């Protein structure tokens, strides 16, 4: 068996320290992929069990049972039902928390009935004595008929024993069921069910009918026979209730023999903290203060590394220009690829800081309190308490935010959250806002304290969040989706976050952004560069055409070069594209150059700045070192003789960028999560219309 | 008859045996079993959701669900 990896699935209730155990087992040998057929992230890692044996460990989302109520949880069911033989696990490692052992064993008992070899790791045993808990492992082992290991993932205790147990378990014969639902509830009924397929265990068949989930391993005739059991739905429901109660009876019987809690030793830190964090007034004040700290750090602290990265890439570009011979390839590298990568990398500090905070808040158990505080308020806007996390994440990037909606069990509330998240001000809007605000808003203080530019930026954030809430309300009133609303969250015990978990979480989310959005942005930068450096016959003959013009006759060579570059841009493919849509956007105060930036930034907003940089630097001479901002400030509108980026145009653009759905990566993820093009298209059109109309009104009023 | 929704903060009740069918499966699985002790810990602003401790699990559920689960109060 050496050299063949054992496939281990890691399963457990949320908040049991499952992820930390995964990190301890696998270390840095992790990768995140997608589950085939579904879009949930799959975390896999390689673990060295012994000198000859390795295992591939898959970290499954936390779940309380294998009767799923959200998308995250349904992954666990699908994995266990062996949808795909290659993917099905050899050994299941169930993680339980010593404090909530009873509830954790429910999931364990269900998994055991699937007759897959199982190891039970009871975590957080370092807390055992403090909480007055004692446990008889040898009796528990015997009663559960499984490998039981006491561990402390945080203190790295028992990890070696878990690895050994996995190997023993893998070598051992087929596992036996624990509770056996058949004889206790309705023996005749379950005997008939068992007859349907000899290749599946009774509990597998029972899950197939109750969860309406039929794996490929089931034949057509077997499936038809199973479906006949679905006719009496109320009976199914009743039996599911009975099954759960029966399981708890068994668990209670076993725990009575092996598990003791001395309640007098239980500490009361939790209830004291809860009194403050869920307080009707202080609870909100604390939440508001935490948000303030998060935003402050995103804007203030992140600006230092961001400026550094910005400078670094400009430097790279220059170095490449000097070192490489003049030619098409060098142009592609210095004007397309390097700025393209830079445009993605610059967001890493902001995204990492935001996810650092979110990871810490989740790890400490505080996020559940926020969900509790916000649920009723969010429900008025068609969402629920769990929507708060996606809305906060949306200020970094809509992509992970939309993925975070998977924990929302109610489809209508989840859909509304997905649809409104793109209104929250993501970090890609920030460079656009920053440059426009710097151009049109004077850098003055009001009341000698508040910075006017900062205030405008804050208003734009408020505008985004307000629009998200309002759009939620409208969708709540108009969407006619019948979706059973069921809401329950566990309030976990407060914990000191694990550095390892937080670190992995931040790295993983940041990586997902860089590679997800990065691919699109980089590809676009290259296309953009190509479109700007190629064109019609007028483009190719630019030099000749310009030199032959009457006005060019007596110009100095420097001026002439500028004129040629400008002429080239106007006749490049991208110039032609921009000019063709100019009539449509003229009422908003934009010209064909801005039009080009609008088109390209439909892929991703931050491309706006990059595009203008390309347009103006293509136009200018190579040795022109004025920054993009200065170039924009000096750009004139030939029709009015005024500055191109005056106050009305700037405001119009700000509003346009606040509303328009300009992010291909988000559209793609919405399509994946809603499984249809309908919702992303609705998002694209309605947000686009809102952006157009609002910008039109703003420009017409101001000018 | 009282339900979980009618508990006062700090008050304890026991889930009634007759209410079994009206408890959502998910809550059953999380420990809301007939006979289990329920304590109301906190009520969110606007009176919803509520925060309970049942069978050792600390859960937040909506009042709408809590109102479906009958309890016996320990006088």
């Amino acid at each position: 068996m050496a050299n063949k990896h054992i496939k281990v699935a890691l399963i457990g209730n949320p908040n049991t320290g499952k992820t930390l155990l995964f990190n301890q087992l696998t270390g840095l040998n992790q990768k995140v992929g997608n589950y085939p057929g579904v879009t949930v992230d799959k975390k896999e890692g390689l673990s060295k069990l012994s000198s000859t044996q390795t295992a591939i460990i898959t970290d499954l989302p936390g779940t309380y049972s294998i009767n799923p109520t959200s998308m995250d949880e349904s992954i666990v069911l699908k994995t266990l039902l062996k949808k795909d033989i290659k993917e099905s696990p050899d050994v299941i490692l169930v993680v339980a928390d010593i404090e909530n052992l009873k509830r954790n064993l429910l999931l364990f008992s269900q998994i055991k009935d699937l007759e897959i070899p199982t190891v039970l790791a009871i975590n957080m045993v370092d807390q055992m004595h403090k909480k007055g808990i004692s446990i008889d492992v040898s009796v528990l082992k015997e009663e559960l008929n499984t490998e039981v290991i006491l561990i402390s993932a945080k203190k790295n205790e028992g990890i070696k024993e878990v690895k050994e147990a996995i190997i023993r378990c893998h070598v051992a014969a087929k596992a036996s069921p624990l509770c056996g639902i058949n004889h206790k509830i309705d023996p005749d009924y379950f005997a008939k069910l068992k007859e349907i397929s000899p290749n599946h265990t009774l509990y597998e068949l029972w899950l197939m009918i109750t969860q309406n989930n039929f794996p490929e391993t089931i034949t057509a005739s077997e499936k038809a026979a199973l479906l006949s059991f679905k006719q009496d739905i109320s009976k199914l429901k009743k039996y599911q209730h009975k099954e759960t109660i029966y399981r708890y009876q068994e668990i209670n019987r076993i725990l009575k023999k092996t598990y003791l809690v001395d309640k007098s030793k239980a500490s009361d830190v939790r209830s004291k903290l809860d009194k403050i964090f869920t307080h009707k007034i202080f609870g909100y004040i604390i939440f508001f203060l935490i948000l303030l700290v998060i935003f402050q750090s995103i804007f203030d602290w992140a600006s230092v590394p961001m400026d550094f990265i910005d400078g670094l890439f400009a430097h790279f570009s220059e170095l490449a220009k000097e070192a490489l011979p003049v030619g098409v390839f060098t142009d592609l590298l210095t004007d397309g690829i390097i700025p393209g990568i830079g445009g993605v990398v610059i967001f890493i500090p902001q995204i990492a800081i935001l996810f650092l905070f979110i990871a810490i808040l989740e790890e400490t158990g505080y996020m559940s309190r926020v969900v509790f505080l916000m649920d009723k308020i969010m429900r008025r806007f068609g969402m629920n308490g769990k929507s708060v996390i996606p809305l906060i994440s949306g200020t970094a990037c809509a992509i992970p935010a939309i993925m975070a909606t998977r924990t929302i069990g109610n489809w209508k509330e989840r859909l509304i959250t997905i649809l409104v998240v793109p209104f929250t001000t993501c970090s890609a809007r920030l460079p656009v806002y920053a440059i426009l605000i710097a151009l049109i808003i004077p850098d003055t203080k009001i009341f000698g304290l508040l910075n006017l530019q900062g205030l405008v930026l804050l208003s734009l954030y408020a505008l985004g969040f307000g629009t998200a809430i309002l759009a939620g309300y409208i969708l709540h009133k108009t969407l006619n989706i019948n979706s059973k609303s069921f809401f329950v969250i566990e309030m976990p015990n407060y914990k000191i976050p694990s550095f390892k978990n937080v670190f992995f979480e931040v790295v993983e989310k940041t990586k997902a952004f860089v590679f997800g959005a990065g691919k699109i942005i980089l590809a676009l930068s290259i296309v953009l560069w190509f479109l700007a450096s190629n064109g019609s016959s007028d483009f190719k003959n630019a030099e000749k055409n310009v030199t032959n013009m009457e006005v060019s006759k007596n110009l100095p060579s420097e001026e002439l070069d500028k004129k040629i570059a400008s002429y080239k841009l106007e006749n490049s493919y991208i110039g032609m594209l921009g000019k063709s849509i100019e009539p449509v956007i003229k009422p908003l105060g934009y010209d064909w150059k801005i039009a080009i930036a609008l088109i390209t930034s439909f892929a991703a907003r931050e491309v706006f700045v990059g595009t203008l940089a390309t347009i103006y630097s293509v136009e200018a001479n190579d040795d022109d070192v004025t920054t993009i901002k200065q170039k924009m400030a000096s750009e004139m509108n030939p029709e009015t003789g005024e500055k191109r980026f005056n106050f009305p145009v700037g405001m119009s653009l700000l509003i346009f960028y606040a509303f328009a759905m300009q992010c291909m990566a988000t559209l793609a993820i919405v399509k994946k999560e809603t499984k249809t093009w309908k919702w992303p298209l609705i998002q694209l059109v309605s947000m686009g219309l809102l952006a157009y109309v609002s910008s039109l009104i703003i420009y017409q009023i101001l000018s | 008859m009282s339900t979980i929704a009618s508990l006062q903060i700090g008050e304890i009740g026991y889930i009634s045996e007759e209410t079994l069918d009206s408890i959502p499966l998910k809550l059953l699985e999380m420990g809301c079993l007939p006979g289990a002790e329920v304590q109301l810990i906190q009520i969110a602003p606007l009176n919803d959701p509520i925060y309970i401790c049942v069978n050792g699990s600390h859960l937040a559920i909506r009042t709408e669900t809590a109102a479906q689960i009958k309890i016996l109060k320990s006088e």
Side-chain angles (χ1 to χ4, degrees):
Chain A
M1 286 302 281
N3 294 329
K4 187 182 168 287
H5 304 304
I6 302 177
K7 284 174 285 174
V8 179
L10 195 55
I11 298 181
N13 283 191
N15 314 310
T16 50
K18 194 170 61 67
T19 306
L20 187 54
L21 176 61
F22 175 75
N23 289 339
Q24 297 287 24
L25 284 170
T26 59
L28 280 163
N29 304 312
Q30 304 180 2
K31 62 169 195 233
V32 180
N34 271 341
Y35 282 94
V38 259
T39 51
V40 173
D41 282 344
K42 172 183 185 160
K43 256 171 51 182
E44 261 186 6
L46 203 63
S47 180
K48 211 166 158 47
L49 299 179
S50 69
S51 53
T52 51
Q53 185 68 66
T54 47
I56 295 181
I57 312 218
T58 308
D59 189 18
L60 292 168
T63 183
Y64 294 102
S65 78
I66 33 187
N67 299 319
T69 47
S70 72
M71 200 173 141
D72 255 1
E73 293 171 349
S74 64
I75 299 305
V76 179
L77 176 74
K78 280 188 180 136
T79 309
L80 293 174
L81 278 185
K82 301 177 188 153
K83 206 168 179 223
D84 178 350
I85 291 292
K86 265 188 249 149
E87 294 280 319
S88 74
D90 302 316
V91 176
I92 294 179
L93 177 56
V94 177
V95 192
D97 160 12
I98 186 95
E99 234 190 311
N100 294 311
L101 194 56
K102 197 199 288 178
R103 199 193 54 216
N104 285 266
L105 283 181
L106 177 85
L107 176 67
F108 172 81
S109 86
Q110 291 179 320
I111 287 167
K112 199 78 184 28
D113 283 1
L114 291 170
E115 299 174 30
I116 307 170
T118 305
V119 176
L120 175 66
I122 301 176
N123 195 10
M124 301 186 214
V125 291
D126 50 310
Q127 306 268 317
M128 210 159 72
H129 297 297
K130 216 169 71 192
K131 311 238 158 159
I133 298 168
S134 61
I135 190 164
D136 186 339
V137 181
S138 59
V139 179
L140 192 63
K141 225 179 219 174
E142 203 174 298
E143 285 286 344
L144 297 177
N145 188 17
T146 199
E147 296 273 356
V148 179
I149 317 288
L150 296 183
I151 65 163
S152 166
K154 194 161 192 173
K155 302 209 163 144
N156 211 357
E157 286 166 14
I159 309 296
K160 201 175 123 237
E161 287 79 0
V162 168
K163 290 179 177 177
E164 288 164 0
I166 292 172
I167 298 176
R168 277 200 303 275
C169 200
H170 181 55
V171 177
K174 202 180 163 195
S176 56
L178 179 69
C179 288
I181 48 168
N182 44 339
H183 44 274
K184 197 78 183 186
I185 302 168
D186 182 343
D188 292 345
Y189 183 89
F190 285 101
K192 270 186 213 147
L193 183 61
K194 179 73 193 96
E195 277 168 21
I196 290 177
S197 169
N199 299 324
H200 292 86
T201 67
L202 175 63
Y203 197 54
E204 280 173 343
L205 297 171
W206 175 239
L207 283 176
M208 286 174 207
I209 53 172
T210 54
Q211 304 308 321
N212 212 5
N213 197 314
F214 300 95
E216 284 160 26
T217 47
I218 207 95
T219 66
S221 61
E222 285 171 347
K223 188 178 170 182
L226 283 174
L227 283 172
S228 70
F229 277 82
K230 283 189 71 81
Q231 280 158 2
D232 195 347
I233 294 282
S234 65
K235 199 174 198 175
L236 280 182
K237 278 214 167 116
K238 210 168 154 189
Y239 285 180
Q240 275 187 301
H241 276 71
K242 278 195 173 175
E243 176 202 332
T244 309
I245 289 179
Y246 171 58
R247 286 186 190 282
Y248 268 117
Q249 282 169 354
E250 274 295 296
I251 291 164
N252 278 334
R253 185 186 63 76
I254 294 168
L255 287 186
K256 229 176 222 163
K257 291 190 199 171
T258 58
Y259 182 84
L260 275 170
V261 186
D262 178 3
K263 278 195 178 160
S264 66
K265 282 198 179 169
S267 75
D268 211 28
V269 181
R270 174 202 188 109
S271 62
K272 278 182 194 143
L273 285 175
D274 267 341
K275 278 216 174 75
I276 309 167
F277 286 131
T278 64
H279 189 274
K280 291 188 180 187
I281 298 158
F282 298 130
Y284 287 106
I285 295 176
I286 292 167
F287 181 45
F288 182 75
L289 289 177
I290 290 174
L291 284 183
L292 215 64
V293 171
I294 295 177
F295 288 127
Q296 173 70 22
S297 53
I298 290 179
F299 298 124
D300 225 23
W301 306 348
S303 64
V304 180
M306 286 174 88
D307 287 344
F308 173 74
I309 293 170
D310 199 21
L312 197 69
F313 274 85
H315 187 65
F316 276 162
S317 204
E318 225 137 277
L319 271 184
K321 239 178 226 174
E322 280 168 26
L324 296 169
V326 180
V328 179
F329 176 73
T330 307
D331 275 358
L332 172 66
L333 197 67
T334 56
D335 295 336
I337 294 174
I338 294 177
I341 295 172
V344 180
V345 174
I346 193 162
F347 293 112
I348 290 178
Q350 278 185 336
I351 287 181
I353 289 176
L354 187 85
F355 285 120
L356 175 74
F357 277 106
I358 290 180
I360 292 172
L361 294 181
E362 295 240 35
E363 279 261 309
T364 51
Y366 178 73
M367 262 323 186
S368 300
R369 276 71 187 180
V370 173
V371 172
F372 174 70
L373 282 176
M374 298 301 288
D375 182 60
K376 184 69 192 259
I377 300 166
M378 297 305 287
R379 244 187 290 166
R380 301 201 164 164
F381 304 104
M383 291 171 265
N384 77 34
K386 292 179 186 168
S387 309
V388 172
I389 299 161
L391 287 177
I392 298 174
S393 309
T395 56
C397 176
I399 296 158
I402 285 167
M403 276 151 70
T405 63
R406 285 170 189 155
T407 54
I408 302 174
N410 177 299
W411 168 240
K412 186 176 170 181
E413 290 173 342
R414 177 162 177 240
L415 179 66
I416 292 179
T417 312
I418 290 175
L419 293 178
V420 306
V421 156
F423 277 120
T424 56
T425 306
C426 66
S427 46
R429 283 185 177 97
L430 212 58
V432 183
Y433 287 173
I435 203 153
L436 289 170
I437 288 175
L439 278 172
I440 62 164
I441 309 286
D443 188 11
T444 52
K445 291 227 185 307
I446 32 174
F447 311 123
L449 189 90
L450 295 162
N451 180 294
L452 188 61
Q453 292 187 332
L455 217 58
V456 172
L457 186 65
L458 192 71
S459 325
L460 283 162
Y461 269 80
L463 177 72
F465 192 70
T467 315
I469 292 285
L470 194 70
Y473 184 77
I474 295 167
L475 289 166
H476 178 48
K477 293 286 170 199
T478 51
L479 277 182
N480 192 12
I481 294 173
N482 228 338
S483 142
K484 217 174 73 188
S485 183
F486 184 70
F487 175 87
V488 58
I489 50 153
E490 191 192 359
M491 305 290 247
N493 216 337
Y494 292 98
K495 266 192 287 248
I496 295 165
S498 133
F499 172 78
K500 208 167 186 173
N501 270 8
V502 171
F503 174 77
F504 277 115
E505 179 79 7
V506 170
V507 169
E508 202 180 284
K509 290 268 170 71
T510 311
K511 249 166 62 185
F513 166 79
V514 171
F515 294 112
K519 266 186 286 185
I520 292 174
I521 295 168
L522 181 61
L524 239 110
S525 310
I526 293 170
V527 171
L528 181 68
W529 167 83
F530 175 81
L531 292 178
S533 40
N534 289 283
S536 62
S537 57
D538 274 345
F539 176 90
K540 284 170 200 129
N541 301 324
E543 230 152 298
K544 207 172 74 196
N545 289 358
V546 173
T547 356
N548 289 345
M549 273 182 212
E550 199 56 43
V551 281
S552 316
K553 284 279 153 63
N554 298 316
L555 279 177
S557 70
E558 207 177 287
E559 287 285 305
L560 190 69
D561 283 349
K562 254 190 188 170
K563 207 150 185 92
I564 293 169
S566 176
Y567 184 88
K568 265 188 164 175
L569 181 67
E570 216 172 326
N571 291 292
S572 68
Y573 292 125
I574 206 153
M576 288 149 70
L577 205 62
K579 279 193 172 158
S580 69
I581 67 153
E582 196 175 23
V584 185
I585 49 143
K586 207 154 189 198
L588 312 184
Y590 313 152
D591 67 355
W592 63 271
K593 286 181 195 168
I594 300 177
I596 294 170
L598 279 189
I599 297 170
T600 56
S601 65
F602 256 105
R605 297 173 182 93
E606 63 273 31
V607 173
F608 175 80
V609 180
T611 305
L612 287 180
T614 310
I615 293 171
Y616 295 128
S617 69
V618 167
E619 195 170 349
N621 293 325
D622 275 352
D623 51 354
D624 197 342
V625 286
T626 39
T627 67
I628 166 81
K629 196 181 118 190
Q630 282 166 314
K631 276 177 195 162
M632 284 170 78
S634 59
E635 178 79 1
M636 290 293 163
N637 182 346
E639 283 169 39
T640 58
E642 258 192 77
K643 278 185 177 168
R644 165 51 69 201
F645 291 95
N646 59 10
F647 187 68
V649 173
M651 284 307 286
S652 168
L653 271 171
L654 282 176
I655 297 297
F656 190 89
Y657 275 83
F659 292 147
M661 173 62 160
Q662 292 159 292
C663 184
M664 299 257 225
T666 303
L667 286 173
I669 198 94
V670 173
K671 195 259 160 183
K672 265 189 181 173
E673 297 286 326
T674 60
K675 296 190 185 78
T676 152
W677 275 112
K678 180 180 162 191
W679 298 113
L681 285 177
I682 286 177
Q683 248 175 336
L684 181 69
V685 173
S686 54
M687 289 177 78
L689 274 176
L690 178 65
Y692 187 88
V693 174
S694 328
S695 300
L696 180 70
I697 294 169
I698 289 284
Y699 181 72
Q700 296 300 336
I701 289 173
L702 292 178
S703 63
Chain B
M1 200 173 199
S2 331
T3 66
I4 293 183
S6 64
L7 284 169
Q8 302 293 310
I9 289 182
E11 206 181 358
I12 289 174
Y14 296 89
I15 297 178
S16 154
E17 300 285 341
E18 63 181 83
T19 198
L20 179 57
D21 293 339
S22 55
I23 307 177
L25 180 62
K26 179 103 179 169
L27 272 186
L28 266 186
E29 289 173 341
M30 290 176 94
C32 279
L33 301 165
E37 183 187 291
V38 198
Q39 184 180 24
L40 182 66
I41 296 176
Q42 183 68 279
I43 300 172
L46 309 165
N47 293 323
D48 197 9
I50 61 167
Y51 174 5
I52 57 169
C53 178
V54 57
N55 219 343
S57 291
H58 292 73
L59 309 173
I61 57 172
R62 288 179 179 170
T63 25
E64 170 198 11
T65 317
Q68 288 169 19
I69 305 170
K70 292 178 184 159
I71 51 161
L72 301 166
K73 283 191 188 175
S74 55
E75 296 300 336

